[in-house]
Amino acid sequence: MQGTVATFDASTRSGVLLLDDGTELAFPARAFDASGLRLLRLGQRVRVDRDAAGEIIRVTLPTMA
């Protein structure tokens, strides 16, 4: 699943994504930390990985494996 960064707070390492269908999706710090990224910019395109229960486990760039 992919979306666009709507908000990102570097101090809490969490934020909100805007999905392609217009839905807002909040992601926790642990999902950002799992990505290995240092920062996200507003408007940046990202990919979201979820676990079997639907929890967001990682937010990465679409080009990352």
Side-chain angles (χ1 to χ4, degrees):
M1 170 183 310
Q2 292 189 9
T4 304
V5 177
T7 67
F8 178 69
D9 184 340
S11 64
T12 64
R13 300 177 328 281
S14 61
V16 175
L17 304 176
L18 185 60
L19 302 181
D20 293 339
D21 66 0
T23 305
E24 290 187 351
L25 180 66
F27 64 90
R30 67 181 173 276
F32 176 73
D33 293 343
S35 73
L37 298 173
R38 295 186 300 180
L39 184 66
L40 291 174
R41 296 182 321 270
L42 299 183
Q44 188 171 21
R45 192 80 174 149
V46 294
R47 184 179 72 209
V48 177
D49 295 329
R50 293 182 174 201
D51 64 14
E55 296 289 322
I56 300 172
I57 58 171
R58 191 166 72 151
V59 177
T60 61
L61 301 178
T63 57
M64 295 177 71

